[in-house]
């Protein structure tokens, strides 16, 4: 248990569906991250929020829409996804606002797009 | 450009020492992370180096040479539970952008 939880743990969705991934951290951290991890590929940074403000958007398609309503919660809203979006989506948090602190990862949501 | 290179797989024997190398090319480099990831689990933090030199933490040590764009993770007294993927990641300066390598899968055999 890292103090970062993600729901759901597994999700299967059709290309026309809309769904949301949820991340919650219980560590009092100020920064939260979304990553995509595909088989045999490096972990890809998608978005970063620091103090609830988006500070990184790593050229992610608009079918992925993040939301950070407060420093403890992070959402990833999904719509009209493609099969190549099937992957493990990891949420992480870090304490400070500089990027140089260790990140604590949640267990991930395994997403399958059919 | 941005590039992180590390070997795909390594095999070592229980009780031995193994060194996992990582070379990087990133703009505005601001430090190098190592994470461990067991199969089916989330990555967990091992080390962060921003200055040149070796940092030791128990059985694990991490080295950085900024001038050579090179880092390594040294694992001593290998145990079976050390079988995992080891991810090298470079932090781009001034922000939160962390660029990960594809990871090195380490197999520890008896």
């Amino acid at each position: 248990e890292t103090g970062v939880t993600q729901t759901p743990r597994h999700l299967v969705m059709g290309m026309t569906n809309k769904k949301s991934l949820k991340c919650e951290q219980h560590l009092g951290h100020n920064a939260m991250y979304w990553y995509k991890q595909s088989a045999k590929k490096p972990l890809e940074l998608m978005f970063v929020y620091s103090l609830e403000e988006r500070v990184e958007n790593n050229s992610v398609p608009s079918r992925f829409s993040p939301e950070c309503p407060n420093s403890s919660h992070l959402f990833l809203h999904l719509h009209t996804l493609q099969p190549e979006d099937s992957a493990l989506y990891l949420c992480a948090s870090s304490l400070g606002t500089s990027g140089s602190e260790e990140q604590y990862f949640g267990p991930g949501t395994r997403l399958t797009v059919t | 450009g941005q590039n992180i290179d590390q070997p795909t797989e390594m095999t070592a024997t229980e009780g031995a020492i193994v060194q996992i190398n990582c070379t990087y090319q990133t703009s505005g480099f601001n430090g190098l992370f190592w994470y461990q990831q067991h199969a089916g689990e989330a990555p967990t933090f091992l080390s962060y180096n921003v200055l040149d030199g070796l940092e030791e933490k128990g059985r694990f040590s991490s080295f950085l040479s900024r001038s050579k764009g090179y880092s390594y993770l040294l694992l001593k007294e290998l145990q079976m539970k050390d079988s995992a993927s080891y991810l090298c990641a470079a932090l781009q300066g001034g922000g939160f952008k962390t660029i990960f390598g594809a990871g090195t899968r380490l197999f520890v055999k008896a």
Side-chain angles (χ1 to χ4, degrees):
Chain A
E1 282 289 330
T2 63
V4 181
T5 58
Q6 291 186 242
T7 54
R9 295 293 307 276
H10 299 272
L11 178 62
V12 179
M13 60 186 287
M15 290 190 284
T16 57
N17 291 160
K18 287 186 180 181
K19 296 285 184 184
S20 295
L21 309 185
K22 179 183 176 182
C23 175
E24 184 173 359
Q25 56 97 359
H26 312 273
L27 301 168
H29 287 174
N30 292 306
M32 295 187 77
Y33 309 69
W34 278 118
Y35 286 91
K36 176 183 179 183
Q37 189 170 38
S38 306
K40 311 267 187 210
K41 291 178 71 175
L43 210 56
E44 297 174 57
L45 180 66
M46 299 175 73
F47 303 103
V48 184
Y49 279 81
S50 175
L51 299 173
E52 300 154 44
E53 179 184 341
R54 193 190 311 178
V55 295
E56 289 286 349
N57 178 347
N58 204 24
S59 303
V60 180
S62 59
R63 58 186 185 268
F64 295 91
S65 174
E67 179 190 2
C68 187
N70 56 62
S71 59
S72 299
H73 293 87
L74 185 66
F75 294 89
L76 188 63
H77 304 299
L78 316 171
H79 66 97
T80 58
L81 293 191
Q82 305 298 310
E84 60 264 28
D85 297 323
S86 298
L88 182 68
Y89 288 85
L90 290 163
C91 173
S93 69
S94 62
L95 175 61
T97 55
S98 71
S100 59
E101 294 92 1
E102 66 181 277
Q103 294 175 36
Y104 292 74
F105 285 82
T109 295
R110 174 71 61 187
L111 174 67
T112 303
V113 181
T114 60
Chain B
Q2 301 166 87
N3 200 41
I4 311 283
D5 284 316
Q6 50 182 134
T8 304
E9 286 186 2
M10 298 182 71
T11 301
T13 305
E14 196 175 16
I17 298 173
V18 71
Q19 178 174 312
I20 303 174
N21 296 324
C22 171
T23 57
Y24 62 87
Q25 287 179 306
T26 62
S27 55
F29 176 79
N30 196 29
L32 196 290
F33 291 93
W34 284 97
Y35 284 85
Q36 179 192 60
Q37 187 175 24
H38 285 98
E41 297 183 15
T44 54
F45 171 82
L46 291 176
S47 67
Y48 172 69
N49 295 62
V50 66
L51 300 176
D52 285 359
L54 184 69
E55 296 213 2
E56 298 184 70
K57 196 185 291 186
R59 293 189 299 113
F60 292 14
S61 302
S62 57
F63 172 84
L64 177 67
S65 168
R66 295 177 69 118
S67 61
K68 294 182 179 177
Y70 168 69
S71 173
Y72 67 73
L73 181 69
L74 193 71
L75 292 76
K76 302 176 188 173
E77 301 168 19
L78 279 174
Q79 302 175 11
M80 300 298 285
K81 67 178 182 179
D82 297 328
S83 294
S85 286
Y86 291 86
L87 313 180
C88 170
L91 178 64
Q92 284 196 297
F96 291 82
K97 194 164 186 176
T98 313
I99 312 297
F100 279 80
T104 298
R105 289 189 67 190
L106 174 66
F107 298 92
V108 180
K109 57 182 183 179

mmCIF file of all heavy atoms in Angstrom, chain A residues 31 33 35 37 42-43 45 48 50 55-56 58 90 96-103 105-107, chain B residues 30 33 35 37 40-45 48 87 91 94-103 105:
data_model
loop_
_atom_site.group_PDB
_atom_site.id
_atom_site.type_symbol
_atom_site.label_atom_id
_atom_site.label_comp_id
_atom_site.label_asym_id
_atom_site.label_seq_id
_atom_site.Cartn_x
_atom_site.Cartn_y
_atom_site.Cartn_z
ATOM 1 N N ALA A 31 1.448 17.268 -5.748
ATOM 2 C CA ALA A 31 1.507 17.038 -7.184
ATOM 3 C C ALA A 31 0.943 15.652 -7.493
ATOM 4 O O ALA A 31 1.153 14.706 -6.746
ATOM 5 C CB ALA A 31 2.941 17.132 -7.698
ATOM 6 N N TYR A 33 0.058 12.855 -10.942
ATOM 7 C CA TYR A 33 0.471 12.530 -12.303
ATOM 8 C C TYR A 33 -0.406 11.420 -12.888
ATOM 9 O O TYR A 33 -0.844 10.518 -12.162
ATOM 10 C CB TYR A 33 1.914 11.973 -12.300
ATOM 11 C CG TYR A 33 2.965 12.765 -11.577
ATOM 12 C CD1 TYR A 33 2.965 12.876 -10.191
ATOM 13 C CD2 TYR A 33 4.012 13.356 -12.283
ATOM 14 C CE1 TYR A 33 3.961 13.576 -9.527
ATOM 15 C CE2 TYR A 33 5.019 14.049 -11.620
ATOM 16 C CZ TYR A 33 4.977 14.153 -10.242
ATOM 17 O OH TYR A 33 5.979 14.837 -9.587
ATOM 18 N N TYR A 35 0.137 8.485 -15.907
ATOM 19 C CA TYR A 35 1.051 7.827 -16.823
ATOM 20 C C TYR A 35 0.296 6.736 -17.575
ATOM 21 O O TYR A 35 -0.645 6.135 -17.059
ATOM 22 C CB TYR A 35 2.194 7.129 -16.062
ATOM 23 C CG TYR A 35 3.247 8.022 -15.490
ATOM 24 C CD1 TYR A 35 3.137 8.508 -14.186
ATOM 25 C CD2 TYR A 35 4.369 8.374 -16.229
ATOM 26 C CE1 TYR A 35 4.128 9.315 -13.635
ATOM 27 C CE2 TYR A 35 5.363 9.182 -15.685
ATOM 28 C CZ TYR A 35 5.228 9.644 -14.383
ATOM 29 O OH TYR A 35 6.216 10.437 -13.858
ATOM 30 N N GLN A 37 1.179 3.023 -19.369
ATOM 31 C CA GLN A 37 2.193 1.981 -19.512
ATOM 32 C C GLN A 37 1.664 0.893 -20.442
ATOM 33 O O GLN A 37 0.747 0.159 -20.096
ATOM 34 C CB GLN A 37 2.576 1.382 -18.155
ATOM 35 C CG GLN A 37 3.778 0.457 -18.242
ATOM 36 C CD GLN A 37 4.324 0.042 -16.886
ATOM 37 O OE1 GLN A 37 3.571 -0.192 -15.940
ATOM 38 N NE2 GLN A 37 5.649 -0.032 -16.772
ATOM 39 N N PRO A 42 8.178 2.248 -22.794
ATOM 40 C CA PRO A 42 8.457 2.990 -21.562
ATOM 41 C C PRO A 42 7.194 3.605 -20.980
ATOM 42 O O PRO A 42 6.231 3.883 -21.711
ATOM 43 C CB PRO A 42 9.417 4.092 -22.015
ATOM 44 C CG PRO A 42 9.929 3.663 -23.337
ATOM 45 C CD PRO A 42 8.872 2.821 -23.949
ATOM 46 N N LEU A 43 7.237 3.835 -19.701
ATOM 47 C CA LEU A 43 6.184 4.582 -19.032
ATOM 48 C C LEU A 43 6.106 5.969 -19.680
ATOM 49 O O LEU A 43 7.119 6.649 -19.838
ATOM 50 C CB LEU A 43 6.581 4.732 -17.572
ATOM 51 C CG LEU A 43 5.545 4.827 -16.486
ATOM 52 C CD1 LEU A 43 4.619 3.641 -16.512
ATOM 53 C CD2 LEU A 43 6.234 4.915 -15.134
ATOM 54 N N LEU A 45 4.596 9.756 -19.567
ATOM 55 C CA LEU A 45 3.918 10.786 -18.797
ATOM 56 C C LEU A 45 2.811 11.402 -19.644
ATOM 57 O O LEU A 45 3.027 11.747 -20.811
ATOM 58 C CB LEU A 45 4.917 11.865 -18.389
ATOM 59 C CG LEU A 45 4.378 13.020 -17.564
ATOM 60 C CD1 LEU A 45 3.911 12.545 -16.195
ATOM 61 C CD2 LEU A 45 5.443 14.104 -17.413
ATOM 62 N N VAL A 48 0.447 16.296 -15.554
ATOM 63 C CA VAL A 48 0.872 16.570 -14.184
ATOM 64 C C VAL A 48 0.078 17.757 -13.662
ATOM 65 O O VAL A 48 -0.092 18.764 -14.371
ATOM 66 C CB VAL A 48 2.369 16.899 -14.086
ATOM 67 C CG1 VAL A 48 2.767 17.086 -12.617
ATOM 68 C CG2 VAL A 48 3.220 15.821 -14.727
ATOM 69 N N SER A 50 0.068 20.333 -10.288
ATOM 70 C CA SER A 50 0.739 20.795 -9.084
ATOM 71 C C SER A 50 -0.142 21.836 -8.428
ATOM 72 O O SER A 50 -0.520 22.817 -9.086
ATOM 73 C CB SER A 50 2.099 21.405 -9.434
ATOM 74 O OG SER A 50 2.700 21.968 -8.286
ATOM 75 N N VAL A 55 0.289 21.460 -15.008
ATOM 76 C CA VAL A 55 1.597 22.010 -15.347
ATOM 77 C C VAL A 55 2.299 21.256 -16.461
ATOM 78 O O VAL A 55 3.315 21.705 -16.982
ATOM 79 C CB VAL A 55 2.513 22.077 -14.103
ATOM 80 C CG1 VAL A 55 1.960 23.051 -13.072
ATOM 81 C CG2 VAL A 55 2.697 20.698 -13.477
ATOM 82 N N GLU A 56 1.791 20.074 -16.816
ATOM 83 C CA GLU A 56 2.349 19.323 -17.928
ATOM 84 C C GLU A 56 1.198 18.681 -18.693
ATOM 85 O O GLU A 56 0.293 18.096 -18.094
ATOM 86 C CB GLU A 56 3.301 18.205 -17.460
ATOM 87 C CG GLU A 56 4.617 18.653 -16.888
ATOM 88 C CD GLU A 56 5.601 19.150 -17.929
ATOM 89 O OE1 GLU A 56 5.365 18.977 -19.145
ATOM 90 O OE2 GLU A 56 6.620 19.738 -17.519
ATOM 91 N N ASN A 58 1.503 16.286 -21.963
ATOM 92 C CA ASN A 58 2.542 15.736 -22.828
ATOM 93 C C ASN A 58 1.985 15.315 -24.176
ATOM 94 O O ASN A 58 2.082 14.157 -24.566
ATOM 95 C CB ASN A 58 3.199 14.553 -22.109
ATOM 96 C CG ASN A 58 4.597 14.295 -22.596
ATOM 97 O OD1 ASN A 58 5.258 15.182 -23.114
ATOM 98 N ND2 ASN A 58 5.052 13.071 -22.426
ATOM 99 N N LEU A 90 -1.454 4.483 -14.853
ATOM 100 C CA LEU A 90 -0.934 4.636 -13.496
ATOM 101 C C LEU A 90 -1.060 6.079 -13.039
ATOM 102 O O LEU A 90 -0.750 7.012 -13.783
ATOM 103 C CB LEU A 90 0.539 4.238 -13.439
ATOM 104 C CG LEU A 90 0.842 2.746 -13.596
ATOM 105 C CD1 LEU A 90 2.313 2.540 -13.926
ATOM 106 C CD2 LEU A 90 0.484 1.997 -12.328
ATOM 107 N N GLY A 96 6.287 17.586 -3.113
ATOM 108 C CA GLY A 96 6.555 18.995 -3.318
ATOM 109 C C GLY A 96 6.084 19.525 -4.655
ATOM 110 O O GLY A 96 5.306 18.896 -5.362
ATOM 111 N N THR A 97 6.593 20.681 -4.994
ATOM 112 C CA THR A 97 6.181 21.338 -6.220
ATOM 113 C C THR A 97 7.363 21.564 -7.156
ATOM 114 O O THR A 97 7.386 22.527 -7.927
ATOM 115 C CB THR A 97 5.521 22.678 -5.879
ATOM 116 O OG1 THR A 97 6.433 23.452 -5.080
ATOM 117 C CG2 THR A 97 4.229 22.480 -5.112
ATOM 118 N N SER A 98 8.353 20.681 -7.078
ATOM 119 C CA SER A 98 9.525 20.884 -7.921
ATOM 120 C C SER A 98 9.763 19.761 -8.914
ATOM 121 O O SER A 98 10.555 19.899 -9.811
ATOM 122 C CB SER A 98 10.778 21.006 -7.054
ATOM 123 O OG SER A 98 11.107 19.749 -6.494
ATOM 124 N N GLY A 99 9.127 18.639 -8.756
ATOM 125 C CA GLY A 99 9.342 17.518 -9.669
ATOM 126 C C GLY A 99 10.490 16.619 -9.300
ATOM 127 O O GLY A 99 10.634 15.542 -9.866
ATOM 128 N N SER A 100 11.312 17.016 -8.348
ATOM 129 C CA SER A 100 12.487 16.219 -8.015
ATOM 130 C C SER A 100 12.280 15.281 -6.840
ATOM 131 O O SER A 100 13.219 14.654 -6.372
ATOM 132 C CB SER A 100 13.681 17.134 -7.720
ATOM 133 O OG SER A 100 13.377 17.995 -6.644
ATOM 134 N N GLU A 101 11.059 15.198 -6.351
ATOM 135 C CA GLU A 101 10.795 14.254 -5.256
ATOM 136 C C GLU A 101 10.340 12.921 -5.799
ATOM 137 O O GLU A 101 9.817 12.836 -6.906
ATOM 138 C CB GLU A 101 9.707 14.795 -4.310
ATOM 139 C CG GLU A 101 10.103 16.033 -3.538
ATOM 140 C CD GLU A 101 9.709 17.297 -4.252
ATOM 141 O OE1 GLU A 101 9.106 17.221 -5.330
ATOM 142 O OE2 GLU A 101 10.028 18.378 -3.728
ATOM 143 N N GLU A 102 10.489 11.878 -4.989
ATOM 144 C CA GLU A 102 10.056 10.566 -5.416
ATOM 145 C C GLU A 102 8.557 10.547 -5.621
ATOM 146 O O GLU A 102 7.809 11.250 -4.939
ATOM 147 C CB GLU A 102 10.449 9.507 -4.376
ATOM 148 C CG GLU A 102 9.751 9.641 -3.030
ATOM 149 C CD GLU A 102 10.192 8.582 -2.060
ATOM 150 O OE1 GLU A 102 9.639 7.462 -2.136
ATOM 151 O OE2 GLU A 102 11.048 8.868 -1.210
ATOM 152 N N GLN A 103 8.156 9.754 -6.578
ATOM 153 C CA GLN A 103 6.744 9.610 -6.870
ATOM 154 C C GLN A 103 6.236 8.303 -6.267
ATOM 155 O O GLN A 103 6.918 7.278 -6.303
ATOM 156 C CB GLN A 103 6.510 9.625 -8.383
ATOM 157 C CG GLN A 103 6.836 10.970 -9.012
ATOM 158 C CD GLN A 103 6.730 10.961 -10.514
ATOM 159 O OE1 GLN A 103 5.864 10.292 -11.078
ATOM 160 N NE2 GLN A 103 7.604 11.703 -11.165
ATOM 161 N N PHE A 105 3.333 5.573 -6.622
ATOM 162 C CA PHE A 105 2.412 5.125 -7.651
ATOM 163 C C PHE A 105 1.258 4.332 -7.061
ATOM 164 O O PHE A 105 1.425 3.573 -6.090
ATOM 165 C CB PHE A 105 3.139 4.237 -8.665
ATOM 166 C CG PHE A 105 4.033 4.990 -9.610
ATOM 167 C CD1 PHE A 105 5.319 5.366 -9.242
ATOM 168 C CD2 PHE A 105 3.581 5.327 -10.879
ATOM 169 C CE1 PHE A 105 6.135 6.069 -10.120
ATOM 170 C CE2 PHE A 105 4.400 6.024 -11.770
ATOM 171 C CZ PHE A 105 5.673 6.395 -11.386
ATOM 172 N N GLY A 106 0.097 4.499 -7.683
ATOM 173 C CA GLY A 106 -1.030 3.641 -7.378
ATOM 174 C C GLY A 106 -0.902 2.331 -8.129
ATOM 175 O O GLY A 106 0.010 2.153 -8.943
ATOM 176 N N PRO A 107 -1.838 1.398 -7.885
ATOM 177 C CA PRO A 107 -1.753 0.072 -8.509
ATOM 178 C C PRO A 107 -2.134 0.052 -9.976
ATOM 179 O O PRO A 107 -1.864 -0.934 -10.662
ATOM 180 C CB PRO A 107 -2.742 -0.758 -7.685
ATOM 181 C CG PRO A 107 -3.729 0.235 -7.187
ATOM 182 C CD PRO A 107 -2.958 1.495 -6.947
ATOM 183 N N ASN B 30 17.840 17.468 -14.925
ATOM 184 C CA ASN B 30 17.769 17.902 -13.531
ATOM 185 C C ASN B 30 17.709 16.739 -12.564
ATOM 186 O O ASN B 30 17.133 16.842 -11.479
ATOM 187 C CB ASN B 30 16.560 18.824 -13.333
ATOM 188 C CG ASN B 30 16.648 19.609 -12.040
ATOM 189 O OD1 ASN B 30 17.735 19.905 -11.555
ATOM 190 N ND2 ASN B 30 15.500 19.926 -11.462
ATOM 191 N N PHE B 33 16.299 9.273 -11.744
ATOM 192 C CA PHE B 33 15.607 8.377 -10.819
ATOM 193 C C PHE B 33 15.825 6.916 -11.219
ATOM 194 O O PHE B 33 15.973 6.600 -12.403
ATOM 195 C CB PHE B 33 14.086 8.599 -10.879
ATOM 196 C CG PHE B 33 13.600 9.912 -10.341
ATOM 197 C CD1 PHE B 33 13.420 10.992 -11.182
ATOM 198 C CD2 PHE B 33 13.268 10.044 -9.005
ATOM 199 C CE1 PHE B 33 12.936 12.202 -10.695
ATOM 200 C CE2 PHE B 33 12.774 11.241 -8.515
ATOM 201 C CZ PHE B 33 12.609 12.322 -9.364
ATOM 202 N N TYR B 35 13.605 3.336 -10.374
ATOM 203 C CA TYR B 35 12.432 2.723 -9.769
ATOM 204 C C TYR B 35 12.504 1.210 -9.996
ATOM 205 O O TYR B 35 13.047 0.746 -10.997
ATOM 206 C CB TYR B 35 11.136 3.250 -10.399
ATOM 207 C CG TYR B 35 10.737 4.640 -9.955
ATOM 208 C CD1 TYR B 35 11.261 5.769 -10.581
ATOM 209 C CD2 TYR B 35 9.840 4.820 -8.904
ATOM 210 C CE1 TYR B 35 10.887 7.050 -10.169
ATOM 211 C CE2 TYR B 35 9.467 6.094 -8.488
ATOM 212 C CZ TYR B 35 9.999 7.197 -9.124
ATOM 213 O OH TYR B 35 9.635 8.464 -8.710
ATOM 214 N N GLN B 37 10.058 -2.204 -10.403
ATOM 215 C CA GLN B 37 8.684 -2.599 -10.682
ATOM 216 C C GLN B 37 8.592 -4.119 -10.790
ATOM 217 O O GLN B 37 9.109 -4.707 -11.749
ATOM 218 C CB GLN B 37 8.156 -1.941 -11.960
ATOM 219 C CG GLN B 37 6.676 -2.195 -12.205
ATOM 220 C CD GLN B 37 6.118 -1.451 -13.406
ATOM 221 O OE1 GLN B 37 6.853 -1.088 -14.319
ATOM 222 N NE2 GLN B 37 4.809 -1.204 -13.409
ATOM 223 N N GLY B 40 3.237 -6.956 -12.580
ATOM 224 C CA GLY B 40 1.870 -6.760 -12.136
ATOM 225 C C GLY B 40 1.699 -5.766 -11.005
ATOM 226 O O GLY B 40 0.603 -5.625 -10.464
ATOM 227 N N GLU B 41 2.785 -5.080 -10.651
ATOM 228 C CA GLU B 41 2.705 -4.114 -9.551
ATOM 229 C C GLU B 41 3.126 -2.728 -10.022
ATOM 230 O O GLU B 41 3.636 -2.550 -11.117
ATOM 231 C CB GLU B 41 3.591 -4.569 -8.390
ATOM 232 C CG GLU B 41 3.155 -5.891 -7.781
ATOM 233 C CD GLU B 41 3.994 -6.301 -6.590
ATOM 234 O OE1 GLU B 41 4.738 -5.452 -6.044
ATOM 235 O OE2 GLU B 41 3.910 -7.470 -6.185
ATOM 236 N N ALA B 42 2.913 -1.747 -9.158
ATOM 237 C CA ALA B 42 3.301 -0.377 -9.475
ATOM 238 C C ALA B 42 4.796 -0.174 -9.227
ATOM 239 O O ALA B 42 5.400 -0.862 -8.404
ATOM 240 C CB ALA B 42 2.505 0.599 -8.608
ATOM 241 N N PRO B 43 5.410 0.780 -9.923
ATOM 242 C CA PRO B 43 6.815 1.112 -9.637
ATOM 243 C C PRO B 43 6.976 1.646 -8.225
ATOM 244 O O PRO B 43 6.098 2.341 -7.712
ATOM 245 C CB PRO B 43 7.141 2.194 -10.669
ATOM 246 C CG PRO B 43 6.100 2.063 -11.736
ATOM 247 C CD PRO B 43 4.875 1.571 -11.044
ATOM 248 N N THR B 44 8.125 1.340 -7.613
ATOM 249 C CA THR B 44 8.449 1.913 -6.311
ATOM 250 C C THR B 44 9.818 2.578 -6.400
ATOM 251 O O THR B 44 10.732 2.085 -7.070
ATOM 252 C CB THR B 44 8.450 0.866 -5.185
ATOM 253 O OG1 THR B 44 9.331 -0.202 -5.552
ATOM 254 C CG2 THR B 44 7.067 0.302 -4.958
ATOM 255 N N PHE B 45 9.969 3.681 -5.723
ATOM 256 C CA PHE B 45 11.165 4.516 -5.775
ATOM 257 C C PHE B 45 12.358 3.806 -5.151
ATOM 258 O O PHE B 45 12.261 3.183 -4.095
ATOM 259 C CB PHE B 45 10.882 5.811 -5.019
ATOM 260 C CG PHE B 45 12.078 6.695 -4.807
ATOM 261 C CD1 PHE B 45 12.510 7.553 -5.803
ATOM 262 C CD2 PHE B 45 12.752 6.670 -3.596
ATOM 263 C CE1 PHE B 45 13.607 8.375 -5.590
ATOM 264 C CE2 PHE B 45 13.847 7.486 -3.381
ATOM 265 C CZ PHE B 45 14.268 8.350 -4.382
ATOM 266 N N TYR B 48 17.359 8.757 -6.243
ATOM 267 C CA TYR B 48 17.383 9.976 -7.066
ATOM 268 C C TYR B 48 18.771 10.587 -6.932
ATOM 269 O O TYR B 48 19.237 10.850 -5.821
ATOM 270 C CB TYR B 48 16.319 10.968 -6.601
ATOM 271 C CG TYR B 48 16.389 12.329 -7.264
ATOM 272 C CD1 TYR B 48 16.078 12.467 -8.612
ATOM 273 C CD2 TYR B 48 16.744 13.467 -6.547
ATOM 274 C CE1 TYR B 48 16.135 13.714 -9.228
ATOM 275 C CE2 TYR B 48 16.795 14.709 -7.155
ATOM 276 C CZ TYR B 48 16.483 14.833 -8.490
ATOM 277 O OH TYR B 48 16.533 16.063 -9.101
ATOM 278 N N LEU B 87 13.601 0.614 -13.685
ATOM 279 C CA LEU B 87 13.318 1.722 -14.591
ATOM 280 C C LEU B 87 14.224 2.902 -14.288
ATOM 281 O O LEU B 87 14.283 3.368 -13.150
ATOM 282 C CB LEU B 87 11.858 2.173 -14.444
ATOM 283 C CG LEU B 87 10.770 1.092 -14.426
ATOM 284 C CD1 LEU B 87 9.398 1.740 -14.262
ATOM 285 C CD2 LEU B 87 10.823 0.265 -15.691
ATOM 286 N N LEU B 91 14.821 13.467 -15.178
ATOM 287 C CA LEU B 91 13.946 14.616 -14.935
ATOM 288 C C LEU B 91 14.430 15.782 -15.765
ATOM 289 O O LEU B 91 15.605 16.157 -15.702
ATOM 290 C CB LEU B 91 13.974 14.981 -13.453
ATOM 291 C CG LEU B 91 13.137 16.190 -13.036
ATOM 292 C CD1 LEU B 91 11.657 15.932 -13.259
ATOM 293 C CD2 LEU B 91 13.407 16.538 -11.577
ATOM 294 N N GLY B 94 13.478 22.272 -14.436
ATOM 295 C CA GLY B 94 12.493 23.332 -14.280
ATOM 296 C C GLY B 94 11.055 22.883 -14.186
ATOM 297 O O GLY B 94 10.154 23.718 -14.117
ATOM 298 N N GLY B 95 10.812 21.591 -14.207
ATOM 299 C CA GLY B 95 9.421 21.157 -14.163
ATOM 300 C C GLY B 95 9.270 19.753 -13.651
ATOM 301 O O GLY B 95 10.109 19.260 -12.906
ATOM 302 N N PHE B 96 8.217 19.123 -14.056
ATOM 303 C CA PHE B 96 7.871 17.787 -13.572
ATOM 304 C C PHE B 96 8.057 16.704 -14.620
ATOM 305 O O PHE B 96 7.727 15.559 -14.375
ATOM 306 C CB PHE B 96 6.395 17.769 -13.148
ATOM 307 C CG PHE B 96 6.106 18.578 -11.917
ATOM 308 C CD1 PHE B 96 5.931 19.951 -11.987
ATOM 309 C CD2 PHE B 96 6.019 17.969 -10.678
ATOM 310 C CE1 PHE B 96 5.668 20.696 -10.853
ATOM 311 C CE2 PHE B 96 5.745 18.704 -9.539
ATOM 312 C CZ PHE B 96 5.572 20.064 -9.632
ATOM 313 N N LYS B 97 8.557 17.054 -15.793
ATOM 314 C CA LYS B 97 8.574 16.090 -16.878
ATOM 315 C C LYS B 97 9.651 15.031 -16.659
ATOM 316 O O LYS B 97 10.847 15.326 -16.709
ATOM 317 C CB LYS B 97 8.800 16.792 -18.205
ATOM 318 C CG LYS B 97 8.512 15.919 -19.405
ATOM 319 C CD LYS B 97 8.365 16.758 -20.660
ATOM 320 C CE LYS B 97 7.933 15.895 -21.832
ATOM 321 N NZ LYS B 97 7.703 16.697 -23.041
ATOM 322 N N THR B 98 9.215 13.816 -16.393
ATOM 323 C CA THR B 98 10.116 12.697 -16.164
ATOM 324 C C THR B 98 10.044 11.763 -17.354
ATOM 325 O O THR B 98 8.973 11.297 -17.723
ATOM 326 C CB THR B 98 9.717 11.923 -14.887
ATOM 327 O OG1 THR B 98 9.488 12.856 -13.821
ATOM 328 C CG2 THR B 98 10.801 10.948 -14.481
ATOM 329 N N ILE B 99 11.205 11.510 -17.985
ATOM 330 C CA ILE B 99 11.281 10.643 -19.158
ATOM 331 C C ILE B 99 11.809 9.283 -18.701
ATOM 332 O O ILE B 99 12.919 9.195 -18.178
ATOM 333 C CB ILE B 99 12.236 11.207 -20.221
ATOM 334 C CG1 ILE B 99 11.948 12.688 -20.483
ATOM 335 C CG2 ILE B 99 12.146 10.388 -21.508
ATOM 336 C CD1 ILE B 99 10.592 12.971 -21.037
ATOM 337 N N PHE B 100 11.015 8.236 -18.915
ATOM 338 C CA PHE B 100 11.392 6.892 -18.479
ATOM 339 C C PHE B 100 12.028 6.090 -19.605
ATOM 340 O O PHE B 100 11.638 6.214 -20.777
ATOM 341 C CB PHE B 100 10.154 6.133 -17.986
ATOM 342 C CG PHE B 100 9.750 6.465 -16.577
ATOM 343 C CD1 PHE B 100 9.022 7.614 -16.302
ATOM 344 C CD2 PHE B 100 10.097 5.629 -15.532
ATOM 345 C CE1 PHE B 100 8.650 7.924 -14.996
ATOM 346 C CE2 PHE B 100 9.726 5.923 -14.226
ATOM 347 C CZ PHE B 100 9.005 7.079 -13.960
ATOM 348 N N GLY B 101 12.984 5.238 -19.230
ATOM 349 C CA GLY B 101 13.476 4.220 -20.136
ATOM 350 C C GLY B 101 12.504 3.056 -20.163
ATOM 351 O O GLY B 101 11.553 3.001 -19.376
ATOM 352 N N ALA B 102 12.757 2.122 -21.060
ATOM 353 C CA ALA B 102 11.852 0.982 -21.221
ATOM 354 C C ALA B 102 11.986 -0.035 -20.098
ATOM 355 O O ALA B 102 11.160 -0.935 -19.983
ATOM 356 C CB ALA B 102 12.091 0.317 -22.573
ATOM 357 N N GLY B 103 13.029 0.107 -19.279
ATOM 358 C CA GLY B 103 13.208 -0.800 -18.150
ATOM 359 C C GLY B 103 14.117 -1.961 -18.471
ATOM 360 O O GLY B 103 14.216 -2.394 -19.624
ATOM 361 N N ARG B 105 14.679 -5.837 -17.321
ATOM 362 C CA ARG B 105 14.136 -6.967 -16.568
ATOM 363 C C ARG B 105 15.297 -7.784 -16.017
ATOM 364 O O ARG B 105 16.108 -8.303 -16.780
ATOM 365 C CB ARG B 105 13.249 -7.829 -17.458
ATOM 366 C CG ARG B 105 11.934 -7.163 -17.818
ATOM 367 C CD ARG B 105 11.009 -8.137 -18.516
ATOM 368 N NE ARG B 105 10.559 -9.198 -17.630
ATOM 369 C CZ ARG B 105 9.910 -10.277 -18.031
ATOM 370 N NH1 ARG B 105 9.657 -10.464 -19.301
ATOM 371 N NH2 ARG B 105 9.530 -11.189 -17.171
#
